[in-house]
Amino acid sequence: MSLFGRKRRGARTRIFFATDVHGSERCFRKFLNASASYEADVLILGGDVTGKLIVPVVEADGSDGWHAEIFGERVEADSPEALAELQRRIRMMGRYDVVMSAAQERELAGSDTVVQQTFERVTHESLARWTALAEERLGDSGVPVYMILGNDDEPELAEVVRSSPFVTFAEDEICELPGGWELLSFGPSTPTPWKTPRELSEEEIATSLDTLAGKLADASRAVFNVHCPPADTHLDQAPLLDDDLRPVVDASGVRMTSVGSRSVRAAIERHQPVLGLHGHVHESPGATRLGTTLSINPGSEYADGIVRGAIVDLEDGHGIRSWQMIQG
């Protein structure tokens, strides 16, 4: 008897989808573990894979000690073993540890250019380490891993994933999933107040999605892995912000607004894929039907090391046999 107390069906393909891990190594390791934990046939990571902060780990002058600041608290390491544990702790939080001297820390603090160069280096190194870990854990399993970038990820990171002999960079491609299902993947979002690295207008998104959809053999057997969720659904509700990027609050509480894409919604309604997989809006987990398409956003709690994901069973002749949201 397999997971959920039912037998495997010969033509079943089980997808495990997660998104918006934002540099959390704990979340990424849990994502890889889902292959065994949930008997997944394929793993899909839906964008926003990189973190947001560098944490300097400063080597004390003339001693074997190091220190870092985490949530405003000074944390010290007095041995190589303690240093390794401090680095692990930082990585599990979705931040990037950078070991440096006190002089290098002063240089980092005084130069935006040095900060940007350092951030680019550590994000590339981290993502390369993740793809190597995926191959180490799953290379002999026969379970493929597909990854895209999101709006928060620098475009140059695509080459890091493409260089992996195991993880498939699926963005702007049509990939074949186990069972002969097709995967359409697209990572940019509509414009945001934060002016993130990969944002496009609604018109540009519409053109890109129509071009990609035109490459599908059968849209009814397609999975749309599109980072930005469809507009005006349960999947795209976020706090309305004022000009200072603060949530607008009235007598009823925090006001919410739609931040998804009208073009994504139109593409789903036009092409009717079997499944839509989305992210981007962490605080809006849910599922909705747009015509015959089930669209899902599992949400994200990466800062707490919690993976929110979706398990979806696709079956020949039936489409979606079952689906379930999980967190852990």
Side-chain angles (χ1 to χ4, degrees), residues 47-309:
D48 280 2
V49 296
T50 48
K52 301 175 183 293
L53 293 174
I54 296 169
V55 179
V57 180
V58 183
E59 187 172 6
D61 293 333
S63 72
D64 292 329
W66 299 263
H67 67 267
E69 188 172 295
I70 301 176
F71 297 123
E73 177 186 354
R74 181 183 172 103
V75 180
E76 298 186 351
D78 58 5
S79 68
E81 293 76 18
L83 171 62
E85 174 57 27
L86 175 57
Q87 291 176 288
R88 187 198 69 81
R89 178 181 172 187
I90 293 168
R91 292 174 183 179
M92 294 300 172
M93 295 163 52
R95 301 181 178 188
Y96 297 110
D97 60 287
V98 184
V99 178
M100 62 182 65
S101 66
Q104 289 171 321
E105 182 189 27
R106 290 192 293 271
E107 182 183 14
L108 186 73
S111 172
D112 290 341
T113 299
V114 174
V115 170
Q116 182 61 30
Q117 291 172 344
T118 304
F119 187 78
E120 289 176 2
R121 174 176 61 81
V122 296
T123 53
H124 282 65
E125 290 173 350
S126 175
L127 193 53
R129 187 173 65 249
W130 281 15
T131 59
L133 179 64
E135 183 175 12
E136 175 188 324
R137 294 284 182 86
L138 300 175
D140 295 329
S141 70
V143 176
V145 178
Y146 295 90
M147 183 185 296
I148 67 171
L149 304 181
N151 62 293
D152 270 330
D153 301 315
E154 294 290 344
E156 294 78 12
L157 288 165
E159 294 306 316
V160 177
V161 186
R162 286 193 181 103
S163 68
S164 169
F166 178 70
V167 177
T168 297
F169 184 69
E171 191 163 336
D172 297 329
E173 301 285 351
I174 304 300
C175 300
E176 183 175 342
L177 298 178
W181 303 90
E182 294 181 278
L183 180 69
L184 178 156
S185 298
F186 184 75
S189 77
T190 51
T192 73
W194 298 276
K195 297 178 172 58
T196 55
R198 302 200 321 145
E199 300 178 357
L200 297 175
S201 68
E202 289 282 14
E203 293 75 16
E204 290 170 314
I205 291 174
T207 298
S208 296
L209 289 177
D210 281 346
T211 299
L212 278 172
K215 300 177 182 179
L216 293 168
D218 181 357
S220 70
R221 288 181 57 83
V223 175
F224 276 26
N225 173 30
V226 179
H227 183 66
C228 193
D232 299 318
T233 63
H234 301 305
L235 317 184
D236 79 322
Q237 300 300 300
L240 178 66
L241 303 179
D242 63 18
D243 292 340
D244 296 318
L245 303 184
R246 296 175 301 192
V248 175
V249 180
D250 58 22
S252 62
V254 176
R255 290 178 59 188
M256 305 297 283
T257 188
S258 169
V259 297
S261 167
R262 299 187 307 276
S263 298
V264 170
R265 178 169 184 147
I268 290 172
E269 291 176 333
R270 181 182 307 115
H271 299 290
Q272 292 290 270
V274 67
L275 177 65
L277 300 174
H278 309 280
H280 186 48
V281 187
H282 302 181
E283 59 270 62
S284 196
T288 194
R289 286 274 182 186
L290 295 174
T292 60
T293 302
L294 175 68
S295 285
I296 297 173
N297 175 6
S300 174
E301 294 182 66
Y302 75 92
D304 295 320
I306 297 171
V307 166
R308 299 183 64 96

